[in-house]
């Protein structure tokens, strides 16, 4: 009997000869990361537990991305506690303001194919795009791993999602993510491994895979996994032959298989106030929008800024629109400047912020007032998350967001000439 | 931990996410006593002040979905919620609640047959009673029960490190 990608990585990590869904295994993470929202909690819990040293300073990473630049005076304490942890107990690297943690972990090669990675954030599923078993945990559990180097995991059952063919123009990986979430619903993947395959997926660059893996958690999944490709191994700077064991087995047991034809995909919208409230854009086209946000660990990458620049080039945003753009990392920001995307977007009327969690974190930069409507490329539209509980948030791809910024109403990118 | 107890119900719906349980504006407040006052604020601003120690939350599917925000279960623990009974729980919330010593019980049936203010009686690993009806509940796995029994993961680790106060 074959194994799912999740089972293969867990067997590789733990050394057990076989495992099946429901088994509890003790993993030894290849690395862990905690970010500035939780530095204070992790620091305090770690000391309270009676530990004096992290289990392996080489495997501990700390990132400041949610609270930087600070928006409240107390926020700075969280950076202080991050640096204090690194100095007193040991951490490989502290990143301050280099970008959103879920972009940096794969971009800087911390999360790699076949790894087991835990991070104090739900969108840790992102690194499944580079074939890492990576998932979110809380600060108390992080403190325990930092002391022991161990973490128990229940082996998940798996859902295979197969997509074949070529996506139509103006449709991108975010639309695939929304379509799958709309079909599986908010709890349809709870505790499970979502495993993506098919010719569309095989040909998909890492940047686009990251968007899909990022949103796997929105149906409750533990991980959202892709098999390594030559391209993804180049991205992660590993030798493909060293990770080729991590391939799909024809005889692996999946509790469900969803199959899609890429040609059937259209632009989708997740309507307020649930991510699984997914509708084809055509049903909502023409709805008035007040603000547009392009950014986040879901869609703040170079290809996303390129798509927005292509659509907004030569246009100006509608008079009643505010367009906020946040690149996902410093490196992406620099490339977008070098390639001229930033200039085109600023000329079109965009406001740029430094790479950080930005509006998606709901604490700073563009919070929504009562009755305002936002179209964002981020991953969550929950009640009150991005400002007033009386505001509304809709989610889309960067192409739909850019087209909507031009007209001020939900717009299909194909209609902006 | 007591093997059986009873408490008054606060009733919530499906997909109660961590942004509702604890809005992000409040997570960096310095003490849990300040944080807990904002529990459920976007949905029911009056609720945190009305919850009494020993009360029980009953909810629908996917309770605790969304972010890894541990302030959500920690605040409910600080409000001295006795346990949460829901049709299902989101996975990170589930782990976080256990690690904070907060008991979670899955019941597919009870949430459809009780009202806010009803009294529910719980017998751990056995069943729950409400309005004269009995509902079976699953056994809690040994490794998880041990963490709850220890009073949460901090105390478990203190025990491991021989520094339990």
């Amino acid at each position: 009997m074959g194994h799912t990608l999740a089972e293969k990585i867990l067997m590789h990590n733990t050394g057990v000869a076989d495992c099946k869904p429901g088994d509890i295994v003790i993993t030894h993470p290849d690395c862990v990361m905690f970010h500035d929202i939780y530095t204070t909690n992790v620091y305090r819990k770690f000391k309270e537990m009676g530990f004096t040293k992290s289990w392996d300073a080489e495997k501990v990473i700390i990132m400041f991305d949610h609270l930087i630049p600070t928006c409240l005076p107390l926020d700075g304490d969280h950076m202080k506690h991050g640096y204090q942890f690194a100095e007193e107990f040991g951490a490989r690297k502290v990143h301050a303001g280099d970008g959103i943690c879920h972009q940096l972990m794969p971009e800087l090669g911390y999360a790699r194919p076949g790894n087991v990675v835990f991070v104090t954030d739900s969108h840790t599923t992102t690194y499944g795009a580079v074939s890492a078993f990576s998932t979110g945990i809380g600060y108390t559990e992080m403190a325990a791993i930092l002391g022991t180097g161990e973490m128990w995991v229940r082996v998940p059952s798996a859902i295979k999602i197969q997509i074949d063919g070529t996506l139509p123009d103006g449709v991108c990986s975010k639309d695939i993510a929304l379509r799958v979430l709309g079909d599986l619903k908010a709890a349809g993947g709870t505790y499970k491994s979502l495993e993506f395959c098919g010719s569309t997926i095989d040909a998909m660059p890492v940047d686009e895979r990251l968007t899909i893996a990022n949103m796997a958690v929105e149906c409750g999944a533990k991980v959202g996994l892709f098999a390594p490709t030559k391209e993804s191994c180049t991205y992660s700077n590993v030798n493909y032959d060293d990770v080729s064991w991590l391939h799909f087995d024809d005889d692996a047991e999946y509790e469900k298989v969803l199959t899609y034809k890429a040609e059937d995909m259209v632009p989708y919208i997740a309507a307020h106030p649930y991510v699984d409230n997914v509708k084809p854009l055509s049903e909502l086209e023409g709805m008035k929008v007040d603000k547009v946000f392009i950014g986040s660990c879901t869609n703040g990458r170079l290809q996303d800024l390129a798509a927005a620049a292509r659509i907004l080039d030569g246009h100006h945003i509608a008079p009643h629109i505010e367009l906020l753009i946040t690149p996902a990392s410093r490196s992406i920001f620099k490339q977008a400047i070098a390639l001229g995307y930033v200039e085109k977007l600023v000329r079109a009327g965009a406001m740029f912020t430094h790479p950080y969690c930005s509006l998606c974190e709901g604490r700073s930069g563009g919070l929504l007032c009562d009755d305002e409507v936002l179209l964002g490329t981020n991953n969550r539209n929950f009640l009150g998350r991005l400002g007033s509980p009386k505001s509304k948030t809709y989610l889309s791809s960067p192409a739909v967001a850019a087209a909507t910024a031009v007209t001020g109403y939900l717009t299909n990118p194909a209609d902006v000439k | 931990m007591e093997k059986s107890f009873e408490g008054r119900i606060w009733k919530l719906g499906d997909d109660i996410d961590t942004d509702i349980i604890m809005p992000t504006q409040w997570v960096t407040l310095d003490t849990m006593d300040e944080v807990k006052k904002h529990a459920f604020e976007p949905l029911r601003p009056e609720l945190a002040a009305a919850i009494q120690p020993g009360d029980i939350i009953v909810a629908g599917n996917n309770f605790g979905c969304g972010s890894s925000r541990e302030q959500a279960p920690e605040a409910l623990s600080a409000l001295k919620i006795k346990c949460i009974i829901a049709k299902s729980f989101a996975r990170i919330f589930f782990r976080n609640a256990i690690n904070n010593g907060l008991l979670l019980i899955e019941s597919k049936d009870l949430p459809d047959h009780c009202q806010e203010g009803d009294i529910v009686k719980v017998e751990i690993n056995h069943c729950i009673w409400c309005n004269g009806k009995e509902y079976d509940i699953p056994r809690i796995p040994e490794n998880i029960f041990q963490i709850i029994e220890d009073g949460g993961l901090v105390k478990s680790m203190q025990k491991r490190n021989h520094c339990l106060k």
Side-chain angles (χ1 to χ4, degrees), chain A residues 24 37-38 41 44-45 48-51 67 72 74-75 78 120-122 135-141 144 148 151-153 186-187 190-191 217 220-222 274 361-363 380 382-383 385 389, chain B residues 14-15 17 19-20 24-25 27-30 32 42-43 61-62 65-71 74 88-92 94-96 99-100 106 141 143-144 147 153-154 157-158 160-161 163 165:
Chain A
I24 287 177
I37 289 273
Y38 302 121
N41 306 83
R44 287 177 182 165
K45 297 275 180 191
E48 203 184 336
M49 287 174 176
F51 293 114
L67 303 178
L72 295 171
L74 271 176
D75 292 351
H78 287 233
T120 54
D121 194 281
S122 59
T135 195
I137 58 169
Y139 44 73
T140 303
E141 199 138 48
T148 62
M151 159 92 175
W152 68 267
V153 172
T190 300
Y191 306 130
V217 73
K222 185 175 287 186
Y274 298 108
E361 163 65 0
R363 298 179 91 253
R380 288 197 178 129
F382 297 155
L383 182 71
R385 178 173 166 96
Chain B
D14 288 335
D15 299 322
D17 61 67
D19 283 278
I20 286 174
T24 182
Q25 304 89 296
V27 297
T28 53
L29 292 176
D30 200 47
M32 201 35 72
L43 191 68
N61 279 309
N62 207 21
C65 61
S67 101
S68 64
R69 196 170 300 172
E70 192 171 330
Q71 286 91 346
E74 200 173 354
S88 66
F89 294 94
R91 82 159 265 284
I92 305 178
F94 183 86
R95 292 187 82 109
N96 284 345
N99 291 335
N100 280 281
E106 275 193 16
N143 67 321
I144 292 174
I147 296 171
L153 190 57
V154 170
M157 288 294 129
Q158 287 176 339
R160 176 189 186 277
N161 293 333
C163 62
K165 288 167 193 109

Side-chain angles (χ1 to χ4, degrees), chain A residues 32-96:
Chain A
V32 297
M33 184 265 285
F34 55 103
H35 60 58
D36 45 5
I37 289 273
Y38 302 121
T39 40
T40 301
N41 306 83
V42 171
Y43 178 75
R44 287 177 182 165
K45 297 275 180 191
F46 187 82
K47 279 171 64 154
E48 203 184 336
M49 287 174 176
F51 293 114
T52 52
K53 196 169 161 294
S54 71
W55 102 99
D56 186 343
E58 279 302 307
K59 295 181 175 172
V60 181
I61 301 144
I62 303 172
M63 292 189 180
F64 303 155
D65 61 349
H66 284 65
L67 303 178
I68 194 164
T70 53
C71 69
L72 295 171
L74 271 176
D75 292 351
D77 286 353
H78 287 233
M79 318 322 168
K80 200 172 74 191
H81 288 129
Y83 285 120
Q84 246 171 306
F85 187 97
E87 192 175 320
E88 289 175 34
F89 306 128
R92 176 181 183 183
K93 194 87 182 158
V94 181
H95 289 275

